[in-house]
Amino acid sequence: DAKTTQPPSMDCAEGRAANLPCNHSTISGNEYVYWYRQIHSQGPQYIIHGLKNNETNEMASLIITEDRKSSTLILPHATLRDTAVYYCIVRVYNQGGKLIFGQGTELSVKP
Amino acid sequence: GAVVSQHPSRVICKSGTSVKIECRSLDFQATTMFWYRQFPKQSLMLMATSNEGSKATYEQGVEKDKFLINHASLTLSTLTVTSAHPEDSSFYICSYRGDTEAFFGQGTRLTVV
């Protein structure tokens, strides 16, 4: 799996958009970008995934650059409950097997 | 999505005793489950892959005799921390890898005193 790089921490004001970047410059053609988050003392939670087109669901939007070397997870209106560690993982789609976590970005949403 | 139930959510045990953590898949059959460990302020570290009906596969540096994994059915995988010591205190999480995403248990906070 390709390696990802994320900033260790970010702050965001409540109600504003949170934009979390991820670099994955060695991503290969059949690898998807996945995002998970982990709220303190809980198991991780799936957020969204994408290949090359931008994706949106009820939780977030995923913007992938045209060269696919980086992506941004967008929480459009961050709330205090979005405070968590966000993990960007690159993985081949529909392939079983282990999921390896990097260090992630600790997002603090402040009132 | 798939539901993974992990029990207990937290446990305190004395040094030298063993602790069993259960991970159940409630609405699907899991031939493969994954066990992670997470120390404070650190990311999740994969410990082992649990395969139904066969031996688990352990990651490098994880002692298989200390962390016993049993996956006797398609809905239950267990992790037993044997002869626990304070350095085994950690957050343990099980996971099932679905077709498109992974599902995680709520985690077990183990404290060895």
Side-chain angles (χ1 to χ4, degrees):
Chain A
D1 297 337
K3 180 180 169 57
T4 63
T5 304
Q6 300 177 252
S9 63
M10 291 182 65
D11 289 341
C12 177
E14 187 179 19
R16 304 296 295 270
N19 298 287
L20 293 92
C22 179
N23 286 322
H24 31 78
S25 58
T26 61
I27 192 169
S28 59
N30 63 345
E31 288 184 313
Y32 282 63
V33 180
Y34 284 82
W35 284 83
Y36 289 82
R37 74 178 182 184
Q38 184 181 25
I39 295 171
H40 182 63
S41 293
Q42 296 183 23
Q45 174 191 22
Y46 165 82
I47 301 174
I48 199 168
H49 72 277
L51 180 63
K52 54 182 178 180
N53 296 321
N54 298 338
E55 301 287 344
T56 296
N57 63 20
E58 65 278 4
M59 289 183 69
S61 294
L62 174 60
I63 308 298
I64 302 174
T65 58
E66 194 169 339
D67 63 7
R68 303 210 321 123
K69 293 185 177 183
S70 65
S71 61
T72 301
L73 178 75
I74 301 173
L75 308 179
H77 305 287
T79 70
L80 299 179
R81 287 175 295 182
D82 291 321
T83 293
V85 179
Y86 288 77
Y87 296 99
C88 168
I89 300 172
V90 171
R91 188 78 176 126
V92 176
Y93 179 78
N94 201 21
Q95 181 186 73
K98 54 193 178 186
L99 211 57
I100 303 298
F101 287 81
Q103 293 306 305
T105 295
E106 185 170 10
L107 175 69
S108 297
V109 181
K110 300 181 184 299
Chain B
V3 178
V4 179
S5 177
Q6 191 172 338
H7 178 81
S9 59
R10 57 179 67 233
V11 58
I12 301 173
C13 73
K14 290 185 177 180
S15 187
T17 62
S18 296
V19 173
K20 180 184 285 188
I21 301 170
E22 292 188 346
C23 184
R24 293 183 183 273
S25 53
L26 299 184
D27 54 0
F28 61 93
Q29 295 184 325
T31 55
T32 302
M33 300 285 281
F34 302 94
W35 287 94
Y36 293 84
R37 178 170 54 180
Q38 186 175 33
F39 293 106
K41 298 293 186 181
Q42 295 187 23
S43 186
L44 286 78
M45 290 174 42
L46 181 67
M47 299 176 66
T49 302
S50 164
N51 301 298
E52 188 266 336
S54 65
K55 291 183 178 180
T57 303
Y58 291 82
E59 295 298 304
Q60 191 173 8
V62 177
E63 300 174 58
K64 60 179 171 56
D65 294 330
K66 180 167 185 61
F67 299 99
L68 301 180
I69 291 175
N70 184 281
H71 195 152
S73 79
L74 290 172
T75 59
L76 175 64
S77 176
T78 62
L79 168 68
T80 301
V81 183
T82 63
S83 188
H85 291 286
E87 57 265 31
D88 298 322
S89 296
S90 189
F91 192 55
Y92 293 86
I93 307 167
C94 64
S95 172
Y96 164 71
R97 184 77 196 277
D99 289 338
T100 58
E101 62 197 81
F103 302 93
F104 294 84
Q106 307 96 311
T108 297
R109 174 77 57 194
L110 170 63
T111 303
V112 184
V113 298

